[in-house]
Amino acid sequence: YFCCQGFNLFPLDTAKEGYNLAEVGRTSNRVSIGYRKLDNKIILAVRPDSDAHRARTTMTNLGCNGHAICLDSGGSTNLRVKGKDIFKTSRTLSNIIYW
């Protein structure tokens, strides 16, 4: 099992979930996770300088229309691909996902 918290991108109605869009939807390094029905894949995307609306567009473009959430983003965001740091923080992180 895997569990994480975030706010729904479909529909993008953060107030209903108890979030303030001005806070969680601000521009930052935005992390989203979604499900692509076409090929039964989980998609994880990290976009720089993105707000909630751009994250929604990104996940739609990746085939996750209707099935995605934004995760904790901003200054805590790290991304390393094939040994190369794309985003790196100096913050101490106690919980991470890696593979």
Side-chain angles (χ1 to χ4, degrees):
Y1 296 95
F2 174 75
C3 180
C4 59
Q5 181 173 326
F7 60 88
N8 283 318
L9 290 172
F10 304 95
L12 184 54
D13 185 2
T14 55
K16 233 180 188 178
E17 297 178 57
Y19 295 101
N20 178 338
L21 186 59
E23 294 173 3
V24 300
R26 73 190 188 314
T27 300
S28 68
N29 294 331
R30 181 75 41 203
V31 182
S32 302
I33 189 168
Y35 173 68
R36 188 167 61 199
K37 281 185 168 183
L38 178 67
D39 54 3
N40 197 35
K41 298 280 183 183
I42 300 296
I43 305 296
L44 184 65
V46 182
R47 290 293 305 254
D49 302 319
S50 293
D51 61 10
H53 295 284
R54 184 170 180 194
R56 180 183 165 124
T57 299
T58 297
M59 296 312 284
T60 297
N61 292 342
L62 293 172
C64 299
N65 189 22
H67 308 282
I69 63 172
C70 269
L71 303 178
D72 187 17
S73 299
S76 300
T77 303
N78 278 273
L79 177 63
R80 184 176 206 157
V81 178
K82 296 182 180 178
K84 181 182 177 190
D85 290 326
I86 310 298
F87 301 115
K88 188 167 175 143
T89 186
S90 59
R91 291 183 181 182
T92 300
L93 303 174
S94 59
N95 299 288
I96 61 171
I97 301 169
Y98 68 94
W99 59 89

